Amino acid sequence: MDGSLRRLGGEEGLGSGAVRAIHIDPDGVAWVGTYGGGLTRIDEAKVDRFGRSEGLCDHVVSAIIPGDDGALWMNGNRGVFRVQRVSIEGFLAGDRSRIGCRLFESGEGNGGVQPAVARGPDGRLYFATIAGVAEVDPPRIAAASAPPPNRSSQPTWPG
């Protein structure tokens, strides 16, 4: 091979399980969600993995999207969840023993086909679940205690 294709797998530190989601930040940090292997962060040559033992809400990450709130929003078998990037940075720096993850029991995520998450023009996030669509309004989440609603009937799409 001429180097134009490179495979990343478990040998390189990627979480085990089938890759379900990929997000790349503008600064080049790659986030890879897997089915059973949690979340992997790839920054240049450094690879970090996060699972339930590190504080992640689920070992399954079927969708990843950044929020305007400084968080990564994901879904998995347990529902939609949010991880603040400062929590990950603190964990990697050794300032925290676990990352902080907030679970919204919205129904099992439905990933493996893309897109499993989309952002509306108003900033709301729409996650595919096995029970319909979970709609998340990140600015309102801090004040809300209820999980995002599942919409199993025809949703009214933004636009």
Side-chain angles (χ1 to χ4, degrees):
M1 175 107 13
D2 65 0
S4 61
L5 175 67
R6 180 176 157 212
R7 181 183 171 275
L8 295 173
E11 305 80 31
E12 292 79 24
L14 190 65
S16 61
V19 171
R20 300 290 293 263
I22 299 173
H23 167 72
I24 301 177
D25 286 335
D27 63 0
V29 173
W31 301 90
V32 180
T34 63
Y35 190 84
L39 178 68
T40 301
R41 178 185 183 275
I42 304 169
D43 183 6
E44 296 178 13
K46 190 168 180 348
V47 177
D48 296 289
R49 289 183 8 201
F50 309 99
R52 292 189 68 182
S53 61
E54 289 78 27
L56 194 67
C57 294
D58 199 341
H59 283 306
V60 175
V61 178
S62 297
I64 305 168
I65 193 166
D68 294 335
D69 58 352
L72 288 173
W73 288 84
M74 298 170 247
N75 78 348
N77 283 358
R78 297 183 68 211
V80 172
F81 53 97
R82 175 183 72 189
V83 176
Q84 293 288 350
R85 291 174 198 248
V86 295
S87 174
I88 294 172
E89 292 164 9
F91 178 81
L92 293 174
D95 299 332
R96 299 178 60 111
S97 61
R98 294 172 58 82
I99 63 173
C101 186
R102 182 170 177 197
L103 175 66
F104 302 92
E105 295 181 28
S106 57
E108 183 178 335
N110 192 9
V113 295
Q114 300 302 321
V117 63
R119 181 188 321 276
D122 62 355
R124 291 178 196 225
L125 306 176
Y126 298 87
F127 288 89
T129 76
I130 62 170
V133 174
E135 177 185 3
V136 178
D137 189 354
R140 294 184 63 199
I141 284 294
S145 60
N150 269 337
R151 303 203 178 203
S152 56
S153 61
Q154 288 279 6
T156 303
W157 296 107

